[in-house]
Amino acid sequence: MSQFTVSGEFQTRDGMQAFTRSLDAVNENVAREHVLSKFGAEHNLNRTQIEIGEVVAE
């Protein structure tokens, strides 16, 4: 597995909040799905409220 850094923004009551997450994943698509799933669970967000800016392999 590779290390990926995913960055982007998610919607809050006050506007958009930036985030950066590092995680291990098989490929870039799996890293994106993991971040969408995790933010949805932690912040009670829909996928449309999360914007992924970039995914970088380290």
Side-chain angles (χ1 to χ4, degrees), residues 6-38:
V6 182
S7 59
E9 298 179 323
F10 65 94
Q11 188 173 352
T12 65
R13 280 185 249 167
D14 300 327
M16 298 299 278
Q17 174 70 40
F19 71 86
T20 302
R21 289 279 173 109
S22 294
L23 56 110
D24 290 326
V26 177
N27 60 37
E28 183 178 321
N29 291 333
V30 173
R32 286 178 184 271
E33 288 298 317
H34 182 73
V35 168
L36 290 171
S37 174
K38 197 75 164 165

Side-chain angles (χ1 to χ4, degrees), residues 5 8 11 13 40 42 52 54 57:
T5 301
Q11 188 173 352
R13 280 185 249 167
E42 290 177 358
I52 295 178
E54 68 177 348

